[in-house]
Amino acid sequence: VENNFIISAVMTIFSKDRVLFDYQSILIYGKDLTDVLPPPHALCVVFPQDKNELVSLVHFANEHRLSLVPSGGRTGYSGGAVAKQNDIIVSFEKMNHIVDFNAADKTLHCEAGVTLKAIQDYAKQLDLFYPVDFASAAECQIGGNIATNAGGLHVIRYGSTRQWVMGLTVITGRGDILGCNKGLVKNATGYDFRHLFIGSEGTLGFITHAILKLTALPKKTKVILFSVSNNQAITILLSVLQQAVSLIAFEFFCHTAMQCVMQAEQIAFPFQKNTDFYGLFEYESDDTVDLIIEKILQDQLNKNNISEILMSHHEKEANHLWRYRKGISRSLKKYFPYKFDLAVLPSTIFSFMRAAADLLRNKYAALETVWFGHVGDGNLHVNVLKPETVSEKDFAVRCAEISETIYAVIQHFNGSICAEHGVGLLKKPYLHYSKSDSEIQYMRGIKNIFDPNHVMNPGKLI
Ligand SMILES: Cc1cc2nc3c(=O)[nH]c(=O)nc-3n(C[C@H](O)[C@H](O)[C@H](O)COP(=O)(O)OP(=O)(O)OC[C@H]3O[C@@H](n4cnc5c(N)ncnc54)[C@H](O)[C@@H]3O)c2cc1C
């Protein structure tokens, strides 16, 4: 179809000020934070304001076999929101309103383009809590969170985004509007399409609205940053703590991550002595729990599992300690990292870490890797940094080779090649390490039902 025809048709759906064609806008709205993919291309970017405009766009795309790429906050790490030649990018930036709060049900109804931070702040102002949290909260959108089933720092206690979605309004790739679950707590009427759209990465349709559950704010919390000389000490502490108290977060990171974050955030090394690994945990504090934690930490210090400990005494200190963990992802950006987002059963995380570390040390000793992650959920982020002397192209080839090796280990552990960032374009060639051929066939079948002409984010996920 002629580009001019498409563009004039799109202009009849959206007002002129809500369609952009310039390459700068395509560069902004047509890509996420994935570094190793080629630059985006697209026909234009559109900014819908309501679902009827989207229905018209989806019908038009079906008629002329065009492809539509949902674009949220573009903080993804798997190329899910990356556009290619002749795509139309659909940004949710203007659908950014909180529609309603139902006090009796403690549910919030919002448009897909509301940022995660806006939802967290709204809940807090009601003395409630939206527990999904991670370092891109101010930029990422709830639509993107739902489309990737985002995890983050509190999964150990509160679960991933899926646990908090009580209802969704979606527009399928056929152009039908579906109201999935509508906020009900109980609903046993067969297939729950809400759960198909959670984690669907824009491949079945657009998420336009969500109903989210809020919960009670945790009482006073405390944050503890600690250092250890080996990663086994981290998993030992995790296991001891989990038997005694309910943790809100339990994270770990390596010394290189510590160095990167200190440099990027301009913050001082918090301990007396360097160690190989550091950890951070947060818990809901009261006198009884504080005593239990104190005893456990003293015991771990006596056994030389832990080297040093820092504890927050108020919110400001807690936020400061969190900077050492939350700053890692952004601090690595300048090293052009290739990101692995791996998951195994929490009970096997230590054996997996040992197997992956041995493999990387033996086969790829020349490449620097940075380790961190949500170790309490069995989720490990291994970042391979590009050596300055290696070209981007050669680095991508190298990373593809490493992927095959690491994912074979993941398969052996019955783990997942994507814990929380989604498959997108980047991890698509490796999906078979986590999903069987028949599972992938069923996924294709589902795609064909919701989006028979493959207008929705084609080429991503499957
Ligand atoms: C510093 C930093 C820290 C991070 N930490 C974490 C973390 O701890 N846990 C975690 O899970 N992620 C983390 N991420 C990754 C990222 O922020 C999440 O994946 C986030 O959920 C993506 O949301 P987004 O709005 O930016 O989506 P985008 O990147 O814009 O899109 C992601 C996918 O969702 C689709 N999509 C977007 N909006 C819609 C919609 N309305 N309807 C249908 N499909 C849609 C896109 O097409 C794409 O496939 C981090 C990123 C950064 C930069």
Side-chain angles (χ1 to χ4, degrees):
V1 190
E2 278 293 317
N3 288 0
N4 286 348
F5 165 74
I6 297 170
I7 284 165
S8 21
V10 167
M11 303 276 249
T12 63
I13 302 174
F14 301 93
S15 59
K16 216 168 137 199
D17 58 323
R18 288 187 291 115
V19 186
L20 297 176
F21 307 101
D22 60 292
Y23 189 60
Q24 196 50 35
S25 303
I26 286 161
L27 268 183
I28 295 171
Y29 291 98
K31 79 180 283 289
D32 61 9
L33 293 180
T34 318
D35 286 313
V36 290
L37 292 168
H41 290 279
L43 277 177
C44 58
V45 191
V46 297
F47 298 85
Q49 271 176 343
D50 67 53
K51 46 184 192 269
N52 296 327
E53 290 177 340
L54 279 170
V55 169
S56 306
L57 180 69
V58 173
H59 283 147
F60 178 72
N62 272 285
E63 243 173 78
H64 299 285
R65 299 292 193 268
L66 301 171
S67 43
L68 307 173
V69 181
S71 163
R74 288 115 42 218
T75 64
Y77 279 138
S78 62
V82 174
K84 59 173 183 350
Q85 204 78 42
N86 292 334
D87 285 349
I88 296 177
I89 301 163
V90 180
S91 165
F92 280 83
E93 207 168 80
K94 295 210 185 303
M95 290 186 68
N96 62 352
H97 302 100
I98 293 182
V99 180
D100 191 16
F101 170 65
N102 181 327
D105 295 326
K106 291 201 179 62
T107 52
L108 176 156
H109 183 191
C110 66
E111 292 182 320
V114 179
T115 63
L116 173 57
K117 172 88 169 46
I119 289 167
Q120 293 169 340
D121 290 349
Y122 187 91
K124 205 166 175 191
Q125 158 222 308
L126 296 164
D127 230 7
L128 288 168
F129 190 45
Y130 182 69
V132 179
D133 186 32
F134 41 89
S136 60
E139 300 91 35
C140 68
Q141 299 176 0
I142 193 67
N145 295 173
I146 296 169
T148 53
N149 187 26
L153 305 164
H154 296 151
V155 174
I156 192 169
R157 171 142 172 199
Y158 294 99
S160 302
T161 300
R162 183 182 301 282
Q163 271 73 17
W164 300 93
V165 178
M166 302 300 287
L168 286 182
T169 306
V170 302
I171 296 169
T172 68
R174 290 173 184 265
D176 296 319
I177 301 179
L178 306 183
C180 310
N181 196 58
K182 303 190 176 82
L184 295 170
V185 178
K186 290 185 132 187
N187 180 6
T189 51
Y191 312 128
D192 191 337
F193 297 142
R194 167 184 46 155
H195 288 297
L196 271 183
F197 275 78
I198 299 171
S200 61
E201 302 187 27
T203 60
L204 302 179
F206 292 109
I207 295 159
T208 65
H209 294 78
I211 301 174
L212 305 170
K213 181 168 64 177
L214 304 183
T215 188
L217 266 169
K219 286 179 283 173
K220 195 175 70 166
T221 68
K222 278 193 178 162
V223 174
I224 305 223
L225 187 69
F226 59 96
S227 60
V228 289
S229 50
N230 60 69
N231 53 17
Q232 187 163 22
I234 303 239
T235 47
I236 291 173
L237 177 63
L238 171 64
S239 149
V240 178
L241 285 171
Q242 276 186 313
Q243 286 168 45
V245 296
S246 163
L247 296 167
I248 293 179
F250 190 100
E251 304 281 315
F252 98 109
F253 50 101
C254 69
H255 186 64
T256 318
M258 172 68 98
Q259 286 174 312
C260 293
V261 91
M262 277 162 42
Q263 198 194 45
E265 302 260 322
Q266 291 290 297
I267 45 179
F269 184 62
F271 297 113
Q272 307 281 326
K273 197 173 107 211
N274 292 354
T275 51
D276 286 347
F277 292 98
Y278 306 92
L280 178 151
F281 68 90
E282 182 165 12
Y283 69 96
E284 206 164 351
S285 144
D286 64 28
D287 291 349
T288 320
V289 181
D290 284 354
L291 270 180
I292 298 173
I293 299 267
E294 210 179 295
K295 243 179 106 201
I296 292 176
L297 292 176
Q298 193 53 56
D299 184 47
Q300 295 295 311
L301 280 168
N302 294 344
K303 288 179 175 153
N304 277 331
N305 282 343
I306 296 183
S307 308
E308 293 176 63
I309 294 169
L310 291 168
M311 181 190 286
S312 70
H313 297 94
H314 46 72
E315 200 181 337
K316 204 170 156 208
E317 275 180 7
N319 291 339
H320 179 70
L321 295 182
W322 262 116
R323 284 178 74 186
Y324 291 94
R325 168 61 187 86
K326 287 192 181 179
I328 297 173
S329 207
R330 284 188 207 289
S331 75
L332 299 180
K333 178 89 182 142
K334 67 176 183 186
Y335 303 104
F336 203 78
Y338 186 88
K339 291 177 167 296
F340 289 97
D341 169 34
L342 312 165
V344 293
L345 289 179
S347 56
T348 60
I349 185 95
F350 174 66
S351 323
F352 172 71
M353 277 160 75
R354 197 165 49 185
D358 285 351
L359 192 144
L360 288 168
R361 205 177 20 246
N362 294 337
K363 282 189 83 168
Y364 305 102
L367 289 172
E368 174 132 49
T369 54
V370 179
W371 295 58
F372 64 97
H374 317 293
V375 66
D377 322 320
N379 179 188
L380 196 64
H381 296 304
V382 181
N383 288 249
V384 182
L385 308 189
K386 187 179 88 58
E388 267 175 26
T389 49
V390 176
S391 73
E392 290 178 14
K393 209 169 149 215
D394 289 348
F395 184 58
V397 173
R398 207 77 211 280
C399 291
E401 187 195 318
I402 303 174
S403 298
E404 301 282 353
T405 331
I406 287 274
Y407 293 147
V409 184
I410 273 289
Q411 191 172 37
H412 175 75
F413 276 79
N414 282 323
S416 172
I417 63 155
C418 299
E420 55 178 15
H421 295 162
V423 175
L425 277 177
L426 203 60
K427 309 289 168 68
K428 185 176 133 179
Y430 312 105
L431 187 59
H432 63 97
Y433 283 103
S434 286
K435 288 250 171 23
S436 66
D437 287 348
S438 33
E439 281 175 298
I440 294 174
Q441 280 314 318
Y442 275 98
M443 284 170 78
R444 292 212 170 99
I446 289 169
K447 164 91 176 160
N448 288 337
I449 289 172
F450 283 91
D451 180 25
N453 295 321
H454 294 200
V455 300
M456 287 304 309
N457 219 2
K460 315 291 166 47
L461 179 59
I462 43 168

